Amino acid sequence: MALLELRDVRAKYGAIEALKGISLTVEAGEIVTLIGANGAGKTTTLTSISGLHKPSSGTVSFDGKDLTAVAPHDIVRLGLVHSPEGRRVFPRMTVAENLEMGAYTRTDKPGILADFERVYELFPVLRERKLQPAGTLSGGEQQMLAVGRAMMTRPKLLLLDEPSLGLAPLIVARIFQVIQTLNQQGVTILLVEQNARMALKIAHRAYVLETGEVTMAGAAADVLADPRVAAAYLGE
Amino acid sequence: MLDTVLQQLLIGLTNGMVFALVALGYTMVYGILEFINFAHGDVFMLSAFVALTLCGALGLNEHSSAAALAGGLLLCIVASSVFGGLLNLLIDRVVYKPLRKAPKLAPLVSAIGVSFILQNVGLFWGGMAMDVFGGGGQAAAPKAFPNLLPATNLLGATSKITLQPKDVLVIGASLVMMTALYGIVRFTKLGKAMRATAQDPSAARLMGIDVDQVVAATFLIGGALGGFASVIYSLYINTVHYQMGYQNGLYAFTAAVVGGIGNIPGAVLGGLLLGLVRAFSDQFIGAQWQPAVLFGILIVILVFRPAGLLGSTAREKV
Ligand SMILES: Nc1ncnc2c1ncn2[C@@H]1O[C@H](COP(=O)(O)OP(=O)(O)OP(=O)(O)O)[C@@H](O)[C@H]1O
Ligand SMILES: [Mg+2]
């Protein structure tokens, strides 16, 4: 059984149907990437999973549990965390407080402390900026904080929405490296990216989304090699 | 001259503390929902009615024993705070919560409506057949609030400056409440959840924060601060009236805006500033000019700092 399974998910904003029946699966241990043009429905797919924007029909199941009727704050407790588009750190809270909010649902003090260390080891700059308001961090640092904050929930599945957006190539490389490290440590990842080439290189499988529909799915290497993908998303 | 200045400073400070406590209720709710709870001033008013009713039921007046007065005062404070908190929570549940996703004007107009309804309740309550309410004959008349603290001058009978036990109570108790609130917001899990929710409600949800619960806690705490303020204010001013929430609420709301709406230290600063300006304007310019001077100064402040004294002009919200 897949860790995450979407079956015929539709989502609407008023009269606009942003998702027109999406089906996809993510197996435990995988990195799956979702690529597509602006407005294809990538973010909506993630918000439909994490519960911020409930689907109008279809099912989302995680770990065998139907999520459609579960409130977003309870979904986190099941081990599914969504790191949203645009980083969305809490700007007037310190770096440490932001990480603490990631551990909001947890009560295992020693585990939380260990995870603080884990995040600081992965992103040493966050340790240096521990007491600084998150709003004063650079874009790259804020992205690291957003990923760190999501890690603090101890997720089984991490949904990442465009973690490389607007970052310098060196920082992008670092973020992708961390995604792989997390995956090796056992975190399953569903990655939404505009940077299709890099996403396809680290992912196991990929889905291509076009105006609310899945138009292609398969092993990441095959998708990367597909001439249609190359033309539309890799700028070749 | 110095005496006069010190006296006005004291008056301004005590009044300012009350404005600040009420302003906190407006600002905390605004910080999280970007919504002005216009009924907050009337929650304050009805809480004062609860205190007065208690005083009447317990038969408290200047002639009661010191122990009875102290006990009665404590009971009034607890009862009015609990009442203010629960009433505010109830209003949110029944009126505002169903309108959370509605266009912003809907909850705003509803809040104004609730404000009028509560004033009507106050008017009705004022007609209660109880001695403290004047026997029930004149519902709309101001009611005397019993002096639960001795009206002695702590600085000695000959001093030109008057400092009464109730002044000490207002300032001391307000400081305690503000410090407690600061501690809650800064250090507790609930306080951090409140700040996170105020800064980014969607991101807060994604971290597992139950935003509805945080909003409820905010109404509860804000209402309780209002209820608490109503007792010390009634004690200070010795009167309660069904329209006391309207004027004080408007002043406190203004204080919150001048301090920077949504900003907790800003509400305290705005409240104190308002109290002080009011006291000095009354003394040196004349009480008949109070509204003009007060709001004139506040408008000037807002012209130069549109987001309020401590508000951030640049919306850092993503
Ligand atoms: N809050 C909203 N209200 C109305 N329409 C929306 C809203 N959010 C998204 N949409 C619409 O839904 C469609 C899918 O949007 P979505 O944000 O999911 O796309 P995306 O693939 O994430 O795009 P991008 O790459 O630009 O982030 C778009 O047509 C968009 O205009
Ligand atoms: Mg998007």
Side-chain angles (χ1 to χ4, degrees), chain A residues 11-23:
Chain A
K12 289 193 180 117
Y13 297 102
I16 305 166
E17 192 163 50
L19 299 183
K20 300 167 185 158
I22 302 277
S23 296

Side-chain angles (χ1 to χ4, degrees), chain B residues 4-5 7 36 57 74 76 82 90 93 97 99 102 107 118 120 139 167 169 219 234 256 267 278 281 296 302 317:
Chain B
T4 319
V5 170
Q7 185 70 66
I36 300 297
L74 198 67
C76 282
V82 170
L90 181 76
R93 270 290 140 83
K97 199 171 173 213
L99 295 173
L118 296 187
N120 224 170
D167 299 319
L169 175 82
F219 274 96
S234 306
R278 206 173 80 141
S281 139
L302 288 176
K317 214 166 184 177

